[in-house]
């Protein structure tokens, strides 16, 4: 493992966790909007606490880009899940309550499971740039998962809807990470050429789509449901793309499977636990129609 990439990824995780807690607090106080409804985004742009939450979010993205410069997707993206340890207590602190025990168990299960998988699988770097066919495969596969999640979320409510939207958001963010890795490599090689490259414009579109969908996810149920889904699906999808498109390698044979299979089951259990916790969109003890002062 590259020590610099690990350090940068952990710092990025802390920034993303802080941004998520602040943005979720603002988003859940807005009226529920349809998915990708631009009115929600426009309303949030007028909230100072939501805008303040974008500062650590942007900082985390810059740190993530640097981490991807020095390490593979299969290493950097899973490390971002460590931010879940910070986001759940931050949400509880902002709401002046203790973290819900079910949330703590869900987060711990996901973090331990993915951490164990990462240590045993020993991710190693591959190619710097996927082929065109690989990019098309990534786009089609990711798009199909997002469409299915949005269709199911249309009829779901509360934590389950937040989880489904969180899964779709995680796919978007995995796409952002993949494009960010490719764009960062081109930026260091030829900055002027990188500004006219298609990776940059695809990155902007994926980023905007992810941000808008993320706010819809944050409006439904407690933070643990969408955040667990986002923070788990993002690295898992990134690992899949890293192995298939970037030809990065993982050790998933022999006795290692004795650790990797239970680790995967622990992650599945964690996301199920978070998605099935009862609770309204306002959080524990909060009225759904509450409006904070600006």
């Amino acid at each position: 493992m590259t020590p610099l990439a690990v350090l940068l990824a952990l710092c990025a995780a802390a920034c993303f966790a802080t941004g998520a807690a602040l943005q979720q607090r603002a988003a859940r106080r807005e009226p529920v909007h349809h998915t990708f409804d631009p009115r929600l985004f426009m309303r949030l742009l007028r909230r100072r606490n939501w805008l303040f939450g974008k500062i650590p979010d942007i900082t985390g993205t810059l740190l993530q880009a640097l981490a991807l410069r020095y390490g593979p997707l299969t290493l950097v993206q899973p490390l971002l899940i460590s931010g879940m340890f910070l986001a759940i207590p931050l949400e509880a602190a902002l709401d002046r309550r203790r973290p819900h025990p079910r949330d703590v168990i869900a987060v711990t299960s996901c973090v331990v499971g993915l951490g164990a998988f990462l240590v045993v699988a020993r991710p190693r770097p591959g190619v710097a740039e996927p082929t065109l066919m690989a990019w098309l495969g990534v786009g089609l596969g990711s798009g199909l998962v997002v469409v299915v999640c949005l269709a199911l979320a249309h009829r779901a409510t509360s934590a389950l809807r937040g989880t489904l939207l969180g899964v779709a958001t995680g796919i978007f963010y995995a796409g952002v990470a993949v494009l960010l890795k490719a764009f960062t490599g081109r930026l260091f090689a030829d900055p002027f050429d990188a500004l006219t490259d298609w990776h940059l414009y695809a990155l902007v579109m994926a980023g905007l789509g992810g941000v808008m969908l993320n706010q819809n996810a944050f409006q439904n149920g407690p933070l643990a449901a969408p955040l667990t889904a986002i923070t788990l699906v993002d690295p898992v999808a990134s690992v899949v793309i890293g192995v298939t498109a970037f030809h990065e390698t993982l050790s998933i044979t022999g006795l290692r499977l004795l650790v990797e299979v239970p680790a995967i089951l622990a992650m599945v259990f964690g996301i199920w636990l978070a998605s099935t916790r009862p609770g309204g969109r306002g959080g524990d003890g909060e009225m759904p129609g509450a409006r904070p002062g600006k």
Side-chain angles (χ1 to χ4, degrees):
M1 293 186 181
T2 305
L4 181 57
V6 172
L7 177 62
L8 290 169
L10 291 175
C11 291
C15 290
F16 286 139
T18 304
L22 293 172
Q23 291 174 65
Q24 192 259 3
R25 186 173 175 81
R28 73 185 183 187
R29 284 165 170 74
E30 296 294 338
V32 176
H33 290 71
H34 295 294
T35 306
F36 289 122
D37 189 337
R39 290 178 297 176
L40 173 61
F41 189 64
M42 297 305 295
R43 289 177 65 93
L44 289 172
L45 285 175
R46 296 195 295 267
R47 288 204 171 270
R48 287 183 297 180
N49 52 350
W50 187 86
L51 291 172
F52 184 72
K54 294 306 294 181
I55 297 175
D57 211 28
I58 293 171
T59 303
T61 301
L62 295 175
L63 292 171
Q64 179 190 15
L66 289 174
L68 289 169
R69 169 67 177 167
Y70 297 107
L73 280 162
T74 47
L75 169 64
V76 173
Q77 291 305 106
L79 284 173
L80 296 182
I81 200 175
S82 61
M84 292 179 66
F85 272 133
L86 179 61
I88 300 303
L90 268 177
E91 181 209 19
L94 290 172
D95 288 341
R96 298 179 181 178
R97 61 174 176 81
R98 293 182 178 179
H100 195 285
R102 193 181 181 103
D103 292 345
V104 175
I105 295 172
V107 169
T108 303
S109 180
C110 286
V111 171
V112 172
L114 191 53
F117 181 87
L118 180 63
V119 170
V120 175
R122 296 174 58 195
R124 293 176 293 279
V127 300
E129 175 70 26
T131 64
L132 178 59
M133 291 303 297
W135 279 120
L136 291 175
V138 169
L140 290 174
S142 301
L144 178 61
V145 174
V146 169
V147 168
V148 171
C149 287
L150 294 183
L152 294 174
H154 183 67
R155 296 181 177 275
T157 58
S158 193
L160 179 57
R161 184 171 189 268
T163 299
L164 288 168
L165 293 177
V167 171
T169 303
I171 295 295
F172 264 100
Y173 285 164
V176 169
V178 172
L179 291 164
L180 191 61
K181 181 174 179 62
F183 173 72
T184 303
R186 289 174 174 266
L187 185 64
F188 276 87
D190 189 342
F192 295 104
D193 184 62
L195 295 177
T196 59
D197 189 80
W198 70 269
H199 293 87
L200 174 59
Y201 303 101
L203 176 62
V204 171
M205 294 301 295
L208 288 174
V211 168
M212 293 180 65
L213 190 58
N214 196 359
Q215 306 317 308
N216 286 117
F218 281 167
Q219 284 196 303
N220 295 270
L223 177 60
L227 183 63
T228 301
I230 293 169
T231 315
L232 179 61
V233 171
D234 180 355
V236 169
S238 297
V239 166
V240 172
I241 296 171
V243 170
T244 57
F246 284 82
H247 301 292
E248 298 175 357
T249 55
L250 295 171
S251 300
I252 51 174
T253 57
L255 294 177
R256 296 178 186 275
L257 289 173
L258 296 178
V259 176
E260 292 166 349
V261 171
I264 293 173
L265 293 177
M267 290 185 277
V268 172
F269 171 73
I271 195 170
W272 171 82
L273 201 64
S275 66
T276 54
R277 176 161 89 81
R281 66 180 284 261
D284 293 344
E286 180 179 288
M287 296 299 291
R291 290 288 185 275
K294 289 189 178 181

